[in-house]
Amino acid sequence: MDLHHKETTSGEILPVVIIGNGPSGICLSYLLSGYAPYLSAEGCHPNPLLNSKLSERPHLSLLEQDLEYLCEGLEGRSSNPVAVLFDSLLLPDSDFGLDHTSPLEWRYEPERAVPHLVLGKGPPGGAWHAMEGSMLTLSLANWMELPGLKLKDWMRDKRRNVRNDRATPAEIASYYQHYVSKMNLEQNFACGTTVTTVTRESGQQDGSPPCWKVSGLQRRDGEILGDGCSVTEEVPFSLLAHNVVLATGTHDVPARLGVDGESLPFICHSFWELEAAIARGELDQSSDPVLVVGAGLTAADAILAAHHLNTSVCHAFRRSVTDPGLIFNQLPKLLYPEYHKVHQMMIQQQHQSDSSDRIQNLQPAPSSSSSLPSSYPGYLSFPCHRVAAFRPDHKCVLESDSGEQTVVRVSKALVLIGAHPNLSFLRDNGRSLGINRDEPISCRRNPIDVDPFTNMVLAADGPGMYAMGPLVGENFVRFLKGGALAIAGDLWKRRSGGEDAVMPDSRVDRRTDARVLDS
């Protein structure tokens, strides 16, 4: 959908604008398009308490039910109760490796549809389109799917042999884009858009209520040149909405260490910069070691990429290898053999305080935990270390928790310690919306503070602002679907309760909204 230059002075106010077209925004669009989950006639949940509660009002969709009541007593791998509830209903007991059939059925009820618009910088799927295409995803394939379209079935149609229960990011991105088309959601999506400001507008003298103003730019193909190529232009747009949903994810701005020399040209802050260096032939087995900073899965992917080139690696991270919070200590070995391999190396090939002569050859010091031959001679881990400084001569100063410093010479340094969302369209980058208002918004350390059963932002400038997905601490697709249920349910309850701010007139034709936006 093209958003032609339009200042919304006509009083036309959209019910909902969603900022972000990744899996969070797509799932919410599905629910707002009239699709509702019900307990099926044959449905039975393995949790007897939840099954009993669902059986009390089977004629009502989940959107109409008391989510807080249904969430009571449930436990799962998310801190958001509705996420645990919805995940339990879509994938019962999946954490135990069981493949129970979901007790839910989906019904299309067009009278429930709420007109909405989903804004995104690229095609539907969000950051998945920018991810490396060959690495396998962390989550099992069915954990990545959205309601109404089985990912495994879709994958089987696309490739002859499904290696295992995991997919590549390229496949996931293609699935999400296909999902939008398959579910007839395309008319709700405006791609190529960059939101620049979101502000609260006061009510007008004509009696129109306060609302949100969303402004930005949309890329469009402009004039056709003589060679047949078109000139891309950015066209401003401005929309008014009763409700705005923040669903931007957290992959926009790589986190930085904040140490001296971090802006030197050999320092990278994304996996894709490593890929580009490899493509340019800058790294091979004769290169100085690559320093990888961080202990997440992206850091592990970088180590594996260097391993394929026979390039040596120094690996520095703040936690100990036995820390239960380390992601590798939470992954089943059989499902994730490549990450288990990296974790083995982290344990068995540690730098020791007397191993300064070994750093040049990257050989681990002998230890009781390293009785096996080195699985990767060109690797050395530095647990409980931080980067103290980077130097222009390609030397990095690493400092242990005890204060001991080690200097290593590297070809490149990859700082892979997570990312922050780009909320530049909000005042002070949305900092005031976080649980800790003195810190920037971060998925792990400082998510946006929301009501746990509606996902409404508690510190917003006015009612009708919601947040979901990584912005509220949900990094996995299987759990962000709960945010969509919470928001759609709250909008439905407000609409049923007679709140005009959800949908000013239930008789509004969706084609009317599209025509206004395209004018």
Side-chain angles (χ1 to χ4, degrees), residues 418-434:
H420 298 301
N422 181 1
L423 298 175
S424 58
F425 53 84
L426 296 174
R427 186 180 68 252
D428 196 22
N429 293 293
R431 187 179 292 235
S432 62
L433 307 181

Side-chain angles (χ1 to χ4, degrees), residues 8 48 64 82 84 96 166 173 177 202 272 275 295 306 315 326 347 353 462 468 475 516:
T8 50
E64 300 166 273
V82 182
V84 174
F96 302 106
R166 293 163 66 197
Q177 194 164 2
S202 59
W272 328 125
E275 280 194 314
H315 184 198
L326 198 68
I347 296 172
S353 59
M468 63 185 302
N475 257 333
V516 171

Side-chain angles (χ1 to χ4, degrees), residues 19-225:
I19 303 173
N21 66 355
S24 294
I26 295 172
C27 187
L28 181 55
S29 178
Y30 179 74
L31 291 174
L32 295 182
S33 296
Y35 294 92
Y38 287 82
L39 178 67
S40 66
E42 305 81 19
C44 181
H45 196 278
N47 182 319
L49 178 59
L50 179 56
N51 190 65
S52 175
K53 291 180 179 179
L54 291 169
S55 300
E56 292 173 7
R57 310 175 79 184
H59 62 288
L60 294 181
S61 76
L62 283 181
L63 299 174
E64 300 166 273
Q65 298 206 34
D66 184 346
L67 296 181
E68 184 172 0
Y69 171 64
L70 294 178
C71 288
E72 290 175 355
L74 295 181
E75 295 181 353
R77 295 188 179 183
S78 170
S79 59
N80 294 317
V82 182
V84 174
L85 169 67
F86 207 25
D87 178 68
S88 176
L89 292 171
L90 294 170
L91 302 166
D93 285 346
S94 64
D95 282 334
F96 302 106
L98 302 177
D99 192 19
H100 287 301
T101 301
S102 171
L104 299 181
E105 66 176 13
W106 290 87
R107 302 177 191 173
Y108 177 57
E109 300 171 332
E111 69 276 8
R112 290 187 183 274
V114 177
H116 61 282
L117 190 62
V118 185
L119 307 178
K121 294 180 179 179
W128 286 95
H129 288 280
M131 293 184 186
E132 199 275 331
S134 60
M135 295 286 183
L136 293 173
T137 61
L138 172 62
S139 295
L140 299 176
N142 62 336
W143 292 0
M144 309 293 291
E145 70 189 21
L146 298 178
L149 182 61
K150 292 289 185 183
L151 178 56
K152 283 185 180 179
D153 295 342
W154 180 85
M155 287 171 58
R156 288 191 181 97
D157 291 339
K158 293 296 178 182
R159 54 176 171 159
R160 189 168 298 172
N161 297 314
V162 179
R163 286 177 292 174
N164 52 31
D165 285 337
R166 293 163 66 197
T168 66
E171 289 170 329
I172 298 298
S174 181
Y175 165 79
Y176 291 143
Q177 194 164 2
H178 175 76
Y179 182 93
V180 170
S181 175
K182 177 77 172 178
M183 298 303 172
N184 295 315
L185 307 179
E186 292 170 304
Q187 71 272 19
N188 301 318
F189 282 71
C191 300
T193 58
T194 299
V195 174
T196 54
T197 59
V198 174
T199 55
R200 186 68 177 171
E201 297 289 298
S202 59
Q204 303 299 316
Q205 293 181 349
D206 60 3
S208 60
C211 60
W212 298 97
K213 185 176 182 179
V214 181
S215 301
L217 300 170
Q218 183 179 36
R219 294 191 311 275
R220 288 197 301 137
D221 290 336
E223 180 183 356
I224 305 296
L225 301 179

